[in-house]
Amino acid sequence: MVLTWCTFNVVVFASETTQPASPASAEQMVLTGIDVLERDGFKQLAGRNIGLITNQTGINRTGAGDIQLLHEASGIKLIAIFNPEHGLFGKLDVSLIEDSRDPVTGIEVYSLYGKNRRPTAEMLTGVDTLVFDIQDIGTRFYTYISTMGHAMQAAAEYGVRFVVLDRPNPINGITVSGPVRDEGRESFTAFHRLPVRHGMTAGELALMFKAELQLDLELEIIPLEGWQRSDYFDSTGLPWVNPSPNMRSLTEAILYPGIGLLETTNLSVGRGTDTPFELFGAPWLDGNQLALDLNRLELPGVVFSPIQFTPDASKFGDELCGGVSIRIIDRDMFEPIRTGLEIALRLRHLYPQEWEIDSYDRLLANASVLEALRRGQPFSEILEIYKPSLEVFKQRRLLYLIYP
């Protein structure tokens, strides 16, 4: 992968600073659901036969995996393991993952990203409790919450208890933004009617799914301790584990709600480089002009630089791309969804023939917003289109929030 930086006259903001995270103190130590479960001697699962839905992010504060922890805990029995997209170890970037066995325990690992997207009756043989423990990143189209939703539906169908070991929303649990998925547009990247950035934890989403989908389900959330809604992941003191092969930092998680929307179009979003979602481009794109246009907008908390790069894999692998690098300079001001939509508007204006706008709707899942983008309406007008449904979601969401 080759990067080449380009230069031009950049608009410089007066407050070009970043805010370091405040590390968690001993008094503010954040415990995830697995930490709470372990501290309590696994009493919440006593006598249960467990099916565990997890991946490499399912660890306690010291890095011990929950497969090991549940397998060795007394009074419970780990019967089966289920993996989501990217596999049990989070290293696969393929469209179909086969079943396997855990190399340490020898327990059967059923893929929920293969021919089945939810546990079957056969997979659940002997299981009376499904436990979900995977780190989400707070964006609707990141598929781990879809895996949770499908598993909840299977648990309701087969009379299996469902337990969520909760984890933080790494990009904070306050900010809620972006278009809400259209009614009837369910997909694996849009399981439920959520905005792009939902501001909820997996446990809170599970409460919403159960209520709004009217699931006849015994659901228990093992909540976080010490986490507050305003916390980003780097203030928790928890170890960062890449949730997927191309989600390698908190910065990329913050950018993802806006930049991730672009990747179903004919753009590279940096897969095959060292910094996915921190840049985007294509062989037909002039990064100098686009970066100049974007900086002129003076979007809060972010600056753009032209760049040339050659991904070594994925879209446009081994092809030289013109593009734009994105740098967050104030994450408290930065608006990922607005930034992503403004980028889409500039692409539509500069490249009406080259940029495949129709593909943008695959993750956007909002026809009215797509049409407004197609017409080149300004962001202020686009916001007014989706704001009513976003406000309705914010009211729905209040019923299921656990944390202050």
Side-chain angles (χ1 to χ4, degrees), residues 265-288:
T265 74
N266 56 334
L267 286 169
S268 166
V269 292
R271 294 180 185 270
T273 76
D274 293 334
T275 53
F277 307 111
E278 297 182 49
L279 54 85
F280 65 94
W284 43 264
L285 192 149
D286 178 0
N288 287 280

Side-chain angles (χ1 to χ4, degrees), residues 171-376:
I171 58 175
N172 85 50
I174 292 177
T175 308
V176 179
S177 60
V180 175
R181 191 211 75 189
D182 284 339
E183 193 70 51
R185 293 284 301 276
E186 296 87 350
S187 72
F188 198 60
T189 52
F191 175 80
H192 198 55
R193 197 150 191 261
L194 306 174
V196 173
R197 185 173 179 180
H198 50 70
M200 301 174 75
T201 69
E204 292 171 335
L205 286 167
L207 293 172
M208 175 179 277
F209 294 171
K210 177 186 175 181
E212 297 189 349
L213 297 175
Q214 300 180 336
L215 299 178
D216 182 10
L217 175 67
E218 182 184 351
L219 173 66
E220 180 176 358
I221 313 301
I222 310 297
L224 293 151
E225 292 186 6
W227 184 74
Q228 303 203 17
R229 307 206 72 81
S230 59
D231 290 345
Y232 283 82
F233 194 86
D234 56 2
S235 66
T236 65
L238 297 169
W240 174 272
V241 176
N242 293 347
S244 57
N246 286 283
M247 191 59 60
R248 303 172 189 171
S249 69
L250 177 58
T251 295
E252 291 168 6
I254 294 169
L255 287 163
Y256 185 71
I259 305 306
L261 283 169
L262 295 166
E263 73 171 313
T264 54
T265 74
N266 56 334
L267 286 169
S268 166
V269 292
R271 294 180 185 270
T273 76
D274 293 334
T275 53
F277 307 111
E278 297 182 49
L279 54 85
F280 65 94
W284 43 264
L285 192 149
D286 178 0
N288 287 280
Q289 183 61 58
L290 181 54
L292 182 64
D293 285 5
L294 290 170
N295 280 316
R296 282 172 173 163
L297 295 173
E298 297 190 3
L299 296 174
V302 64
V303 291
F304 305 90
S305 301
I307 192 173
Q308 290 186 326
F309 65 97
T310 303
D312 58 22
S314 193
K315 195 175 295 183
F316 302 128
D318 299 323
E319 293 186 57
L320 179 64
C321 296
V324 172
S325 174
I326 311 156
R327 183 160 65 94
I328 300 172
I329 58 174
D330 187 333
R331 76 179 182 192
D332 291 331
M333 293 180 61
F334 178 57
E335 301 174 31
I337 309 297
R338 177 184 174 187
T339 299
L341 291 172
E342 293 280 18
I343 290 170
L345 283 167
R346 295 314 303 160
L347 289 167
R348 178 64 173 165
H349 175 74
L350 292 171
Y351 302 103
Q353 302 304 317
E354 294 88 348
W355 185 51
E356 297 173 354
I357 189 172
D358 287 348
S359 300
Y360 191 71
D361 195 42
R362 282 177 57 190
L363 296 181
L364 181 68
N366 189 298
S368 297
V369 171
L370 180 70
E371 287 309 306
L373 287 168
R374 195 189 307 279
R375 293 190 296 267

